[in-house]
Amino acid sequence: MNLDSALGLDREPHGSSDDPDLLDFSANTNPEVPPGVEEAYRDAFAAARSYPAEPPAGFREAAADYVDCDPEAVVPTPGGLAAIRATIALAVDPGDTALLPAPSFAEYAREVRLQGGDPTFVAADAVLDADPADHALAVVCAPNNPTGTDYERAELERFAARCRAADTPLLVDEAFRGFTDRPSLAGTEGVVVARSLTKLFGLPGIRTGFAVATGELGAAVERARRPWNVSVPALATGAHCMGQQEFINETRERVRAERSRLAAALAERYDVVPSEAPFLLLDVGGAEGGRSVERVVADARDRGVAVRDATTFRGLDSHVRVAVRRPAENDRLLAALGARDGAGTDAEATDAGDDDV
């Protein structure tokens, strides 16, 4: 990273609304948090009078249990994006290329460019068929944001093997993996897994995450880590959350059921991309009687709901993305988008239930 690279890039747009009058479907964070999380954060205050332990063994052990890997392979980071940046910074030099999925999380390309590298884009649903040879790094988002596409473990392992054969490190962003019951790729040779506690545990402001990597690559990620890079309260909160298996199971079931219900209702009006993530990508211009993205976003906002303008993702020009929230909240989304579900929610009921949310 150098001065010219940083000055040449703008910030990427992201979801999330801070308008208290809007029900936020633009960000993909869980509307629920694990039981006891506030107490865990408060209880860490006394310990915060000292520097965090080095290495933070308790957090590493909790993360290792969470994704089934060796604690020594866990590198705590302040959020998943910090793990992504660390990996890209180590792998990509000026003039290198990196194989990236599209549409996908825009920060991958931004981080590659910050290092003076050039992104090479491939369709997200075909990324595992791409040739990783001659690239400094390959990236997979599993499940992919914003499409919701996920990949079978065997497919990921075959791609990881091809990356190893090509001597190309593979970065797997598993920010939304916890919403599925599919195992992590953590601990796989030649792979760096980036995990975030932002999404599944509904705590984007805590900034807790980790990388998992083995061998020489894992040693490099660990040695490049700044000391005390994650705060004591964040470490304590993260360790607490990762042990809440009942909460995780309940969240997965709610998201699975509500995603199916939303997809069926929204498909009556929009083209809905099949998803295995806590969000749905809608083509609002592709269905009969489609409208512009600007109109859909504005109309939803007028009805008290924020949805994500997905045209900011590479290759999308008529799409919005919506999160999967609680059932009553999802009813409001359907009303705001003019969809009707089996319970009879429709656009005429926009104001119904406002006092209950």
Side-chain angles (χ1 to χ4, degrees):
M1 187 188 306
N2 60 37
L3 182 66
D4 290 339
S5 295
L7 290 174
L9 291 175
D10 292 326
R11 293 285 184 183
E12 293 291 343
H14 294 281
S16 185
S17 170
D18 57 5
D19 187 336
D21 294 326
L22 295 179
L23 182 55
D24 189 10
F25 283 84
S26 67
N28 300 319
T29 55
N30 193 345
E32 303 282 357
V33 298
V37 69
E38 183 174 350
E39 291 82 354
Y41 189 87
R42 290 181 180 277
D43 289 346
F45 176 77
R49 297 294 303 276
S50 301
Y51 287 105
E54 279 292 340
F59 180 90
R60 296 175 80 185
E61 290 168 2
D65 288 342
Y66 179 52
V67 297
D68 190 22
C69 71
D70 187 334
E72 296 298 313
V74 175
V75 182
T77 59
L81 184 53
I84 291 166
R85 166 170 282 195
T87 304
I88 293 174
L90 288 169
V92 177
D93 291 323
D96 285 344
T97 61
L99 184 67
L100 307 181
S104 197
F105 190 41
E107 294 292 342
Y108 308 141
R110 185 174 187 273
E111 291 295 333
V112 168
R113 292 183 176 116
L114 277 171
Q115 301 305 322
D118 295 313
T120 298
F121 295 101
V122 63
D125 59 0
V127 65
L128 299 189
D129 297 321
D131 184 0
D134 301 324
H135 295 292
L137 179 73
V139 178
V140 173
C141 184
N144 186 55
N145 177 22
T147 62
T149 304
D150 204 359
Y151 310 94
E152 297 291 343
R153 171 66 181 243
E155 295 174 335
L156 286 166
E157 288 178 336
R158 284 193 290 271
F159 186 62
R162 289 170 48 220
C163 288
R164 286 194 298 272
D167 199 26
T168 300
L170 172 61
L171 170 62
V172 181
D173 181 1
E174 294 186 347
F176 298 100
R177 200 66 163 174
F179 288 92
T180 78
D181 56 8
R182 290 180 173 173
S184 170
L185 219 64
T188 302
E189 181 185 355
V191 174
V192 179
V193 162
R195 294 292 291 238
S196 168
L197 277 67
T198 297
K199 310 301 184 183
L200 180 60
F201 300 112
L203 297 168
I206 300 293
R207 307 312 304 145
T208 312
F210 57 94
V212 179
T214 62
E216 186 177 77
L217 188 58
V221 175
E222 168 57 28
R223 292 173 188 178
R225 179 180 71 89
R226 301 187 315 277
W228 318 303
N229 68 325
V230 182
S231 73
V232 169
L235 290 169
T237 302
H240 172 83
C241 288
M242 288 185 286
Q244 302 300 305
Q245 191 59 51
E246 183 177 354
F247 172 86
I248 293 170
N249 292 340
E250 290 174 352
T251 296
R252 288 173 177 171
E253 182 54 38
R254 170 174 54 81
V255 169
R256 189 178 297 117
E258 285 297 295
R259 183 180 61 221
S260 178
R261 181 173 75 91
L262 283 176
L266 290 167
E268 296 294 325
R269 187 160 193 181
Y270 307 106
D271 290 338
V272 181
V273 178
S275 173
E276 296 184 60
F279 51 83
L280 292 167
L281 184 66
L282 315 179
D283 185 346
V284 301
E288 183 178 351
R291 296 176 292 170
S292 70
V293 168
E294 293 80 2
R295 174 70 182 278
V296 171
V297 172
D299 284 353
R301 186 179 184 88
D302 289 344
R303 294 166 176 167
V305 168
V307 300
R308 173 71 191 275
D309 178 346
T311 62
T312 58
F313 289 93
R314 185 181 185 88
L316 300 182
D317 56 12
S318 59
H319 296 74
V320 300
R321 190 194 66 196
V322 297
V324 177
R325 295 179 60 96
R326 304 178 185 95
E329 295 169 329
N330 293 334
D331 288 342
R332 284 190 60 189
L333 173 71
L334 293 177
L337 293 180
R340 182 187 297 271
D341 70 2
T345 301
D346 58 31
E348 300 303 317
T350 306
D351 297 324
D354 283 4
D355 294 338
D356 299 326
V357 178

